[in-house]
Amino acid sequence: DIQMTQSPSTLSASVGDRVTITCRASQSISSWLAWYQQKPGKAPKVLIYKASSLESGVPSRFSGSGSGTEFTLTISSLQPDDFATYYCQQYNSYWTFGQGTKVEIK
Amino acid sequence: EVQLVESGGGLVQPGGSLRLSCAASGFSFSTYWMHWVRQAPGKGLAWVSRINSDGSSTHYADSVRGRFTISRDNAKNTLYLQVNSVRAEDTAVYYCAREVRGTYYFDCWGQGTLVTVSS
């Protein structure tokens, strides 16, 4: 099974900050990676697919990069609506999620 | 509007059974692969099962294989998850999710239904 490890687990930031979350795969997954945002009590929402493609309707301040085993999600200027938990997901071999990164207000 | 609405969750005793449903609307349900994903209280997301568009192919996570069964009724635009021999660790919110055709990630999720396993 492919394991996904996110870092950090929690991130404290302020509005306007540039935020970067890292996701590492236990083996190469090419670019078969998605990023999701989840707010408390709500379903996840896809932000990025195929490592760097922005889902339709998602603000351009979100971007993704990486391939192989190391990936990043970057929020260029954190907005109040962005405080949430973020998950990476590999879909190279079945489907596995990272453990999540909570972005909280500093 | 694309919509997925889960139902069927509730309190079940260890060893018991439950059938979860996911009603789809606003899109051509019969042409999409569908998934179940669960989230234990305060924990992360965990993929559970996948079914292809006509129901002829299914896959399961190791943790549920042999106990859970995914199925669908395309005439009713409904996805199901039969949950048998439940354990305390099956307690979670269960989400159905739509897989984007040809890409394998999930672009639409339901609001979830809570399954609580307790005596």
Side-chain angles (χ1 to χ4, degrees):
Chain A
D1 291 6
I2 299 175
Q3 309 301 320
M4 306 300 292
T5 304
Q6 289 181 232
S7 60
S9 297
T10 305
L11 188 160
S12 297
S14 302
V15 172
D17 284 353
R18 181 181 181 88
V19 167
T20 299
I21 299 169
T22 297
C23 179
R24 290 185 173 87
S26 60
Q27 63 189 74
S28 178
I29 58 170
S30 185
S31 295
W32 302 118
L33 185 105
W35 289 97
Y36 298 84
Q37 177 194 67
Q38 187 181 34
K39 296 181 179 178
K42 300 295 186 181
K45 170 190 169 184
V46 64
L47 302 173
I48 301 286
Y49 65 94
K50 208 173 180 184
S52 60
S53 296
L54 192 68
E55 178 75 359
S56 176
V58 174
S60 59
R61 63 181 180 272
F62 292 94
S63 64
S65 65
S67 66
T69 61
E70 190 147 336
F71 303 85
T72 59
L73 172 70
T74 299
I75 309 172
S76 60
S77 178
L78 198 65
Q79 298 302 300
D81 191 49
D82 301 337
F83 292 98
T85 299
Y86 294 84
Y87 294 93
C88 62
Q89 177 207 39
Q90 69 82 19
Y91 49 97
N92 178 74
S93 176
Y94 295 97
W95 297 267
T96 315
F97 293 89
Q99 81 279 15
T101 295
K102 183 177 181 180
V103 176
E104 59 181 25
I105 300 172
K106 190 172 184 178
Chain B
E1 179 194 3
V2 173
Q3 198 168 15
L4 297 170
V5 179
E6 300 93 337
S7 60
L11 177 64
V12 58
Q13 293 187 336
S17 299
L18 213 57
R19 189 176 81 158
L20 309 182
S21 300
C22 169
S25 59
F27 66 100
S28 181
F29 177 74
S30 64
T31 66
Y32 284 83
W33 292 17
M34 298 294 296
H35 295 251
W36 287 98
V37 176
R38 68 183 181 182
Q39 186 170 36
K43 303 298 184 182
L45 301 166
W47 173 77
V48 172
S49 184
R50 183 230 81 182
I51 189 167
N52 68 345
S53 56
D54 67 5
S56 62
S57 175
T58 58
H59 286 93
Y60 298 92
D62 289 344
S63 58
V64 307
R65 187 175 296 115
R67 299 187 299 121
F68 291 12
T69 302
I70 190 171
S71 63
R72 64 192 297 159
D73 185 335
N74 286 341
K76 294 183 178 180
N77 291 336
T78 303
L79 175 72
Y80 301 103
L81 186 69
Q82 179 67 40
V83 178
N84 295 333
S85 304
V86 296
R87 308 164 179 167
E89 55 265 35
D90 296 321
T91 294
V93 173
Y94 285 74
Y95 295 100
C96 61
R98 184 179 80 169
E99 179 183 307
V100 179
R101 279 185 287 204
T103 64
Y104 308 113
Y105 72 95
F106 310 153
D107 70 333
C108 181
W109 299 62
Q111 87 289 348
T113 188
L114 176 62
V115 173
T116 302
V117 182
S118 176
S119 55

